[in-house]
Amino acid sequence: MRQFDENVDGYYDVENQLPRYLRRLAEPQFERGDERREAIDSVAAAEEHRERVRKDFLEAIGGLPEERTDLNATRTGRLEYDGYAVETVIFESLPGFHVTTNVYVPESASADDPRPAVLFVCGHAATAKTADGYQQGCIDLARNGFVVLAMDPIGQGERHQFYDPEAEAIPISDDSRDYPRVNTLEHTYLARQCMFAGANVARYFVWDGIRALDYLESRPEVDADRLGVTGNSGGGMQTSYLMLADDRIAAAAPCCFITSKEAYMRTGQGQDGEQIIHRAIDRGPRYDDFLLAFAPKPALIGASQSDFLCIEGTHQSYERASSLYNLYEAGDALELTVADSTHGFGPELREATVNWFRRHLAGEPPTFETDDPSTEDRERLRCTEAGEVRDAYPDGRTVVDLNREFLAETAPEAATAPTVDDTDNYTCQLRERLVDRFDLERDRPDLYPRTIETERNGDVTWEKVFFPSEREVIVTAIVATVDDGGTEEPLVLLLEEGTDEIEERREEVAALARKHGTVVVTDPRGVGGVCARDVNTRLQNGGDYYDYHGTVYKLASDALMLGTSLLALQTFDILRTIEYLRSRLDEGNTELAIEGRGPWGIQALLTAVIEPSIRTVSAVEPFPSFHEQATTAEIPVDHRLNVHGIVGEFDIPQLLPALEDRDIDWDGDLSRYRRPSADETV
């Protein structure tokens, strides 16, 4: 029997079902968000909204470090130009966590005549602070009298967290494809680790920005009451985050970032992990929330007419924010400038940004016109000799180290199984929490299973089957049975790519059928016979179906912003498959088995905790625990496992005590998750 052809062999159109399902979940959330905004009818209501959004944002990213430690700022060089100088400065936003910057200092700035300052946060250009367009933006600002600090983001410029001078690619994937060091793959890898811990790598982006403002405040030639922030693309994102997180900012200009969540979902585009904030669609912050929370302070939205961040969403967020600025009688403090260009910090946006800060930080007329200044050789602007902090500070800390420390503080017991006195009570409570967290008691339509093809081969009968898991969601399966039945429980088999593997594993599945009598190879939504259509491409930051920024990643990201996960949705489908399998069996045959391959090993444990009839759990080449994935520098990645805050809650160590009465065949050492007894040496 062959794998399913497109659209369940032509029986059912499924290629849009998962994107459509997620959009259907989003619609009431968008409506609730609109209702919340429409209810803001006073300054007091606006202040309340700001505090709620800020609280939710900080909670979603894991909060911020509590202590402002010594910056240990070091100037490693200084270059003189006509009217300004550039200093290469390194500071530590956290002890041992180094931030590389270029500080542009106008000749006019001094302790006797302190100048307004602008933090320039960089987008996803590989060279970050030294990219030509960003250099030009900083030069234009410096020539207009602003002290400017341009900062490399995590994973870019001189701050590659996985830097290896001998490597041609970032060493964080088992994938055979080479991912060059110039892209922002690190962002998504690190965001995934932080996500498991209940945080987001944006926590460190924001903290770097806050400490950069601290450094600017400390400079004698800077007027600490006149601080601005700007950036383009990913820098527009960082600007927006800081507008929400730091009250010291007096004026801001986020460029090529502000659109709307509704528009974002329609485009099908993926975004790097620091932009995927847990429950951002469900409760915010949405794009307009950053503007709403900044009111009534001056904010310029810079946009490009033909940006991949669609302009209609930009206008939508601008209009929403304008009504709130009007409550403050500060309508002229919010402006939208649209450049006739594609994505990028071109001359029109640079001019608009400089003039915005001239008006609102320097009290000068907005008359500046850029002359496209010449840029410096990038190597001369390096803060470190080799252009990498990991080379200059081999003992410095990385985000992986920070996330490990974060978990040590927030979930110190998460890596080992808890001591359980009453197993039945523990299992019951864990199951209830899991059912609630994954929303597993929602409506289940009748299965109405369809068998669309049957094939007999020796003693094994093969069937192609599909049935509805829930409204508008179809699940496919290939069932293998033997006449006399097996000696072991009927089996639900979770292959890494579902029934797409059936042809290469035909003999293996047949052998399992002879042991178990019945084997159901199932395709939860988004897998095998019910794969989604490609919703992302390589034209921007996309990839193949399972790639870092491919279809699965995009859909998993949408699910996270909706407050759920593919893991939760696929768990529901596996439980429905168990219902289907049970419907085929005699009433007395109630005990079942489940086997997960690769990432599905953890899924098999989760399903067994929820479903007591599963008596045998097997895992072949399973992924390590979520805790290990959150704290290890090099791990396999499968975005179907992306779920916020699972470490210490529903991880392997927490699941095992609930399965003490089951047979577990784990391909690997489960003892590392067991808590040593008092008389054992740790």
Side-chain angles (χ1 to χ4, degrees):
M1 179 158 287
R2 298 180 61 255
Q3 66 190 60
F4 285 92
D5 287 329
E6 289 182 345
N7 292 323
V8 193
D9 291 356
Y11 276 80
Y12 216 98
D13 183 2
V14 294
E15 69 171 8
N16 291 309
Q17 70 172 4
L18 184 48
R20 184 173 58 236
Y21 179 88
L22 293 170
R23 285 197 292 271
R24 184 161 58 83
L25 287 184
E27 287 169 3
Q29 296 185 12
F30 286 136
E31 290 173 3
R32 288 195 296 271
D34 291 343
E35 290 169 359
R36 285 195 297 266
R37 284 156 184 75
E38 290 168 2
I40 301 174
D41 57 1
S42 66
V43 170
E47 300 291 335
E48 182 180 344
H49 178 80
R50 172 187 295 116
E51 291 310 308
R52 183 192 67 78
V53 169
R54 178 179 293 166
K55 174 179 175 293
D56 290 343
F57 173 69
L58 293 177
E59 177 186 301
I61 67 172
L64 294 174
E66 296 181 358
E67 184 181 0
R68 279 176 158 88
T69 52
D70 196 327
L71 288 168
N72 293 322
T74 303
R75 190 179 79 180
T76 64
R78 179 181 171 94
L79 302 171
E80 299 284 348
Y81 300 95
D82 183 18
Y84 67 96
V86 178
E87 299 178 2
T88 53
V89 175
I90 304 172
F91 66 82
E92 298 176 32
S93 63
L94 290 164
F97 192 58
H98 298 91
V99 181
T100 44
T101 72
N102 290 159
V103 183
Y104 293 70
V105 185
E107 285 181 352
S108 60
S110 68
D112 295 329
D113 183 20
R115 302 297 300 160
V118 174
L119 171 60
F120 193 101
V121 279
C122 298
H124 290 156
T127 53
K129 66 184 183 303
T130 63
D132 287 344
Y134 297 160
Q135 283 193 54
Q136 289 178 316
C138 294
I139 293 167
D140 282 344
L141 285 163
R143 287 176 172 172
N144 278 271
F146 297 94
V147 178
V148 186
L149 185 149
M151 178 177 68
D152 281 334
I154 292 164
Q156 295 169 247
E158 299 182 70
R159 299 186 66 200
H160 291 104
Q161 305 292 286
F162 297 92
Y163 171 72
D164 179 349
E166 304 299 324
E168 295 293 330
I170 300 171
I172 57 176
S173 175
D174 290 337
D175 199 306
S176 61
R177 286 175 288 271
D178 285 337
Y179 291 96
R181 200 181 295 137
V182 297
N183 65 20
T184 54
L185 175 63
E186 288 189 10
H187 292 187
T188 294
Y189 182 91
L190 295 167
R192 190 171 185 269
Q193 291 193 309
C194 295
M195 171 189 59
F196 292 147
N200 188 291
V201 72
R203 179 179 199 255
Y204 305 110
F205 279 79
V206 171
W207 190 244
D208 287 347
I210 289 172
R211 300 314 315 275
L213 291 170
D214 290 344
Y215 173 74
L216 281 172
E217 276 191 325
S218 74
R219 294 191 61 120
E221 66 270 64
V222 169
D223 181 349
D225 292 327
R226 293 187 289 168
L227 297 178
V229 180
T230 190
N232 186 76
S233 189
M237 174 210 71
Q238 294 172 72
T239 300
S240 299
Y241 288 1
L242 288 167
M243 289 164 65
L244 185 57
D246 198 315
D247 289 330
R248 292 174 295 176
I249 300 168
C255 296
C256 289
F257 173 70
I258 299 293
T259 179
S260 71
K261 290 297 183 187
E262 299 96 314
Y264 159 79
M265 284 197 75
R266 285 194 297 269
T267 66
Q269 297 172 32
Q271 294 175 304
D272 278 4
E274 73 274 17
Q275 297 169 290
I276 308 302
I277 303 300
H278 183 234
R279 297 183 63 188
I281 295 174
D282 174 26
R283 66 180 183 182
R286 302 183 195 172
Y287 291 96
D288 56 296
D289 282 325
F290 299 114
L291 305 169
L292 298 175
F294 199 63
K297 292 188 288 187
L300 170 72
I301 306 168
S304 295
Q305 179 65 29
S306 302
D307 204 326
F308 53 80
L309 294 165
C310 43
I311 192 65
E312 63 269 24
T314 307
H315 283 281
Q316 185 178 38
S317 290
Y318 169 66
E319 290 163 6
R320 287 169 171 168
S322 293
S323 62
L324 192 142
Y325 268 79
N326 289 334
L327 287 176
Y328 286 93
E329 298 182 353
D332 59 351
L334 179 70
E335 287 190 10
L336 169 62
T337 291
V338 180
D340 186 15
S341 65
T342 57
H343 188 81
F345 198 53
E348 192 172 349
L349 290 184
R350 293 205 312 272
E351 284 184 8
T353 298
V354 172
N355 283 320
W356 188 252
F357 290 131
R358 281 173 61 91
R359 284 173 56 192
H360 294 287
L361 292 182
E364 297 175 359
T367 55
F368 168 72
E369 294 181 6
T370 185
D371 60 357
D372 282 337
S374 299
T375 57
E376 180 57 272
D377 181 82
R378 291 167 183 171
E379 290 191 1
R380 295 196 69 202
L381 294 174
R382 285 179 175 175
C383 299
T384 60
E385 184 175 352
E388 292 287 350
V389 293
R390 298 284 291 144
D391 178 84
Y393 304 98
D395 295 327
R397 294 196 291 172
T398 68
V399 173
V400 179
D401 299 321
L402 298 178
N403 200 47
R404 189 181 300 119
E405 294 164 12
F406 176 83
L407 276 172
E409 294 177 4
T410 59
E413 305 295 319
T416 51
T419 300
V420 176
D421 296 326
D422 186 342
T423 301
D424 289 343
N425 186 55
Y426 175 85
T427 302
C428 182
Q429 291 183 359
L430 182 67
R431 182 182 297 126
E432 288 177 357
R433 294 203 317 271
L434 189 53
V435 166
D436 180 67
R437 173 74 180 275
F438 283 14
D439 188 25
L440 298 176
E441 290 187 339
R442 58 187 183 273
D443 289 343
R444 289 167 159 79
D446 291 336
L447 287 171
Y448 296 123
R450 285 85 133 177
T451 300
I452 60 175
E453 185 178 342
T454 302
E455 176 185 299
R456 178 80 174 184
N457 188 271
D459 60 341
V460 180
T461 300
W462 302 85
E463 301 169 70
K464 278 186 175 178
V465 175
F466 73 92
F467 52 85
S469 179
E470 57 182 312
R471 185 164 68 91
E472 297 184 2
V473 175
I474 293 297
V475 168
T476 46
I478 290 179
V479 183
T481 57
V482 295
D483 295 338
D484 297 331
T487 59
E488 300 182 19
E489 302 100 333
L491 174 69
V492 173
L493 179 58
L494 304 170
L495 299 177
E496 285 202 52
E497 297 184 23
T499 59
D500 280 357
E501 298 184 30
I502 198 68
E503 293 176 52
E504 63 185 278
R505 298 193 181 278
R506 183 185 182 93
E507 293 305 318
E508 187 179 350
V509 174
L512 287 171
R514 294 182 186 103
K515 287 175 58 179
H516 293 272
T518 301
V519 175
V520 180
V521 181
T522 187
D523 292 325
R525 69 192 76 185
V527 178
V530 287
C531 275
R533 63 175 175 81
D534 288 336
V535 295
N536 207 347
T537 73
R538 292 188 183 279
L539 293 178
Q540 294 297 336
N541 63 340
D544 293 335
Y545 195 76
Y546 290 106
D547 279 355
Y548 264 81
H549 293 121
T551 295
V552 170
Y553 172 74
K554 156 64 179 172
L555 297 174
S557 297
D558 284 355
L560 285 166
M561 290 192 291
L562 290 165
T564 184
S565 64
L566 287 189
L567 186 71
L569 299 176
Q570 291 172 339
T571 298
F572 185 89
D573 296 339
I574 295 168
L575 292 169
R576 292 288 280 164
T577 299
I578 290 169
E579 291 180 42
Y580 164 72
L581 174 56
R582 191 177 291 114
S583 74
R584 294 176 59 108
L585 303 175
D586 297 335
E587 290 186 6
N589 193 349
T590 59
E591 294 188 350
L592 305 174
I594 191 168
E595 180 175 309
R597 307 286 178 90
W600 297 107
I602 296 176
Q603 183 70 272
L605 292 181
L606 287 164
T607 306
V609 168
I610 299 163
E611 181 48 67
S613 67
I614 296 174
R615 308 311 301 170
T616 301
V617 183
S618 302
V620 178
E621 298 182 354
F623 276 31
S625 71
F626 289 104
H627 185 277
E628 290 170 281
Q629 293 183 62
T631 56
T632 306
E634 298 181 30
I635 55 169
V637 169
D638 190 306
H639 292 299
R640 289 173 293 189
L641 294 180
N642 289 6
V643 60
H644 185 86
I646 198 168
V647 171
E649 291 291 328
F650 309 116
D651 201 355
I652 293 174
Q654 290 74 52
L655 300 176
L656 289 177
L659 299 171
E660 285 189 353
D661 62 338
R662 320 292 179 89
D663 292 326
I664 300 179
D665 181 10
W666 195 264
D667 187 3
D669 182 16
L670 280 177
S671 65
R672 67 183 185 275
Y673 304 122
R674 183 172 58 86
R675 187 177 301 277
S677 61
D679 58 349
E680 288 181 304
T681 301
V682 180

